């Protein structure tokens, strides 16, 4: 059954009031435009910061992390641009799929893009977590084995895996279908016809949950190893500064992904395995909208959780609380400080003056 035939059989008899339909359409279009605009701006800004930092860095492990981070932000940017354009195209034709997509081609492209740009950030985040775990716990192995060429191949493999999962319904002749809201396309979620209708959404959800679990395990272990090294006061840990910065960013990305993607992945598993008499299109659409916020919040992790910004926050706390945070300032100076860290007399003078705008610099 094609996506167009499915939409006709499921929505052909749907009748709604003109006023409520018009208001719902205006709200949906407005929300889509705002989400698309904010996502494109945020990811473009974060990509500029990451590319500038990648071109300046000489530390191999930092360069590998920035390569994956730049790829993640680029994927989010393209996801907002392509999926947002498809949504606007659907609303432009008043969600009449039989008019502008009689053969289901646009629906198939829409479904492939939804799955690909959904799984790719999860896979990239898990790959970054594994890379950071090896960099923190096995620095010699990381430097000797994980070459730049190997990291680029791993990056390509993550995109290839996400593309393969996204193309599975098309390859198996189970094309994506128009959902009940008629504004997007996804797997066949209602009344599975056979085991393939159950397997395809399960592959999507299980792989996404495994990527989240791998990120949680690797980030937790890397954070514990980094904290253990700080408590032991290793004098030779020169890389603690950028390790701390990257771990903070990974923990934030992991938290955002769990909050945004967790409900959708779990909900898809429930819909695929448990038969329901009433369709739950509203709850599915709500979890999808929550997942889109992952691509909006991800770039702000790299914008806000930079070493220069963290250093300014620590100095601001010190200027406000003074001697109460003396111990905390010592930790800041040993962890984030470098040869350019301000001396104690400067911090005292700094506390009496307003913070200049030039204190926030690009990532170093």
């Amino acid at each position: 059954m094609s996506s167009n035939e499915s939409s006709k059989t499921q929505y052909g008899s749907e009748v709604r009031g003109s006023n409520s339909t018009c208001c719902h359409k205006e709200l949906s279009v407005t929300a889509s435009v705002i989400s698309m605009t904010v996502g494109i701006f945020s990811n473009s800004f974060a990509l500029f910061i990451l590319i500038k930092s990648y071109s300046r860095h000489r530390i191999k492990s930092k360069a590998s992390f920035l390569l994956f981070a730049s790829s993640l932000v680029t994927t989010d940017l393209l996801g907002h641009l392509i999926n947002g354009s498809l949504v606007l195209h659907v609303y432009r034709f008043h969600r009449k799929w039989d008019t502008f997509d009689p053969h289901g081609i646009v629906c198939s492209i829409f479904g492939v893009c939804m799955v690909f740009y959904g799984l790719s950030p999860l896979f990239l985040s898990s790959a970054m977590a594994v890379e950071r775990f090896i960099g923190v716990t096995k620095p010699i192995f990381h430097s000797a084995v994980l070459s730049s060429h190997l990291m680029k191949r791993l990056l390509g493999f993550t995109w290839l895996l996400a593309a393969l999962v996204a193309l599975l319904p098309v390859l198996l002749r189970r094309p994506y279908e128009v959902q009940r809201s008629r504004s997007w396309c996804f797997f066949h979620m209602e009344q599975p016809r056979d085991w393939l209708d159950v397997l395809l959404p399960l592959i999507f959800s299980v792989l996404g949950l495994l990527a989240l679990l791998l990120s949680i395990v690797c980030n937790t272990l890397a954070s514990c190893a980094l904290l253990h090294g700080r408590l032991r006061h290793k004098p030779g840990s020169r890389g603690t500064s950028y390790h701390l910065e990257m771990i903070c960013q990974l923990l934030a990305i992991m938290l955002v992904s769990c909050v945004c993607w967790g409900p959708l992945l779990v909900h898809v598993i429930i819909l695929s395995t448990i038969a329901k008499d009433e369709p739950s299109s509203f709850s599915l659409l709500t979890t999808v909208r929550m997942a889109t916020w992952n691509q909006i919040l991800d770039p702000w992790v790299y914008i806000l959780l930079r070493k220069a910004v963290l250093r300014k926050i620590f100095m601001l706390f010190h200027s406000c609380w003074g001697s109460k945070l003396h111990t905390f300032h010592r930790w800041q100076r040993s962890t984030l400080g470098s040869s350019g860290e301000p001396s104690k007399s400067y911090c005292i003078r700094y506390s009496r003056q307003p913070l200049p705008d030039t204190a926030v610099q690009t990532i170093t």
Side-chain angles (χ1 to χ4, degrees):
M1 181 181 296
S2 67
S3 60
N4 182 46
E5 292 173 348
S6 175
S7 64
K8 285 182 180 180
T9 56
Q10 293 182 15
Y11 315 113
S13 60
E14 183 179 4
V15 179
R16 296 182 181 177
S18 58
N19 291 334
S20 61
T21 303
C22 181
C23 294
H24 183 267
K25 175 185 176 182
E26 291 179 356
L27 290 175
S28 299
V29 172
T30 303
S32 300
V33 171
I34 293 176
S35 175
M36 180 180 177
T37 304
V38 174
I40 291 176
F41 169 77
S42 302
N43 285 280
S44 298
F45 185 32
L47 184 61
F48 170 77
I49 293 175
L50 290 170
I51 291 178
K52 186 176 181 180
S53 177
Y54 182 77
S55 62
R56 293 171 50 196
H57 252 282
R58 298 294 182 266
I59 303 177
K60 179 181 177 181
S61 59
K62 179 72 173 180
S64 300
F65 177 84
L66 290 175
L67 174 64
F68 274 89
S70 302
S71 302
L72 173 61
V73 173
T74 302
T75 303
D76 290 340
L77 175 62
L78 293 176
H80 272 287
L81 184 61
I82 296 176
N83 289 338
S85 300
L86 289 172
V87 170
L88 296 180
H89 179 73
V90 171
Y91 278 106
R92 176 190 174 191
F93 289 93
H94 309 286
R95 297 180 294 179
K96 297 179 180 179
W97 290 84
D98 54 341
T99 300
F100 67 89
D101 189 30
H103 302 291
I105 298 177
V106 176
C107 185
S108 297
I109 296 175
F110 202 166
V112 169
C113 291
M114 288 286 293
V115 175
F116 175 77
Y117 290 112
L119 286 180
S120 291
L122 298 178
F123 291 165
L124 288 173
S125 299
S126 62
M128 291 164 62
V130 173
E131 187 270 339
R132 261 317 72 218
F133 169 73
I134 298 176
V136 172
T137 58
K138 306 290 183 182
I140 299 178
F141 175 82
H142 183 280
S143 178
V145 177
L146 299 184
S147 61
S148 176
H149 179 68
L150 180 61
M151 299 308 295
K152 291 179 181 179
R153 292 179 62 182
L154 179 60
L155 175 62
F157 174 76
T158 56
W159 278 330
L160 181 62
L161 179 60
L164 179 61
V165 176
L167 290 172
L168 269 180
V170 179
L171 297 176
L172 296 177
R173 298 183 182 276
R174 293 299 175 92
Y176 294 95
E177 295 185 358
V178 181
Q179 302 300 301
R180 292 187 65 87
S181 64
R182 300 181 62 87
S183 59
W184 63 299
C185 294
F186 203 55
F187 298 102
H188 180 82
M189 301 300 302
E190 298 179 7
Q191 299 178 354
R193 294 160 292 191
D194 52 22
W195 62 274
L196 272 178
D197 287 340
V198 178
L199 179 62
L200 292 176
L202 281 180
I203 292 176
F204 168 78
S205 297
V206 170
L207 287 178
L209 289 175
L210 287 177
L212 285 178
L213 180 61
L214 183 61
S215 299
I216 292 173
V217 172
C218 291
N219 287 332
T220 302
L221 294 178
S223 301
C224 292
L226 185 64
L227 180 61
H228 180 68
R230 290 303 307 157
L231 293 177
R232 291 177 58 185
H233 299 286
K234 289 184 178 181
S237 57
R238 294 181 53 190
T240 305
S241 174
Y242 67 86
H243 278 317
L244 177 65
E245 178 190 7
M246 289 183 284
I247 291 298
C248 289
Q249 292 175 350
L250 285 177
L251 290 175
I253 292 174
M254 179 188 68
L255 179 61
V256 169
S257 298
C258 290
V259 173
C260 295
W261 272 100
L264 174 61
L265 297 175
V266 173
H267 193 60
V268 169
I269 292 179
I270 294 175
L271 291 179
S272 302
T273 56
I274 300 177
K276 290 188 176 182
D277 297 332
E278 296 294 332
S280 55
S281 58
F282 176 77
S283 58
L284 181 61
L285 183 60
T286 301
T287 55
V288 169
R289 288 173 176 172
M290 288 180 59
T292 58
W293 277 93
N294 181 79
Q295 281 85 348
I296 296 177
L297 297 177
D298 271 350
W300 288 102
V301 172
Y302 302 107
I303 294 173
L304 298 178
L305 296 183
R306 294 179 292 149
K307 188 168 64 175
V309 178
L310 292 175
R311 181 184 298 157
K312 184 177 181 180
I313 293 175
F314 293 152
M315 294 176 66
L316 180 61
F317 272 116
H318 179 75
S319 64
C320 293
W321 301 101
S323 59
K324 295 181 181 180
L325 294 182
H326 179 66
T327 305
F328 182 71
H329 173 67
R330 290 176 57 191
W331 175 84
Q332 170 230 348
R333 185 171 53 188
S334 62
T335 304
L336 291 180
S338 58
S339 59
E341 189 70 10
S343 61
K344 183 176 180 181
S345 61
Y346 173 78
C347 291
I348 297 176
R349 186 169 64 254
Y350 177 88
S351 63
R352 299 177 182 174
Q353 298 177 355
L355 290 172
D357 295 335
T358 56
V360 180
Q361 301 175 355
T362 58
I363 192 170
T364 56

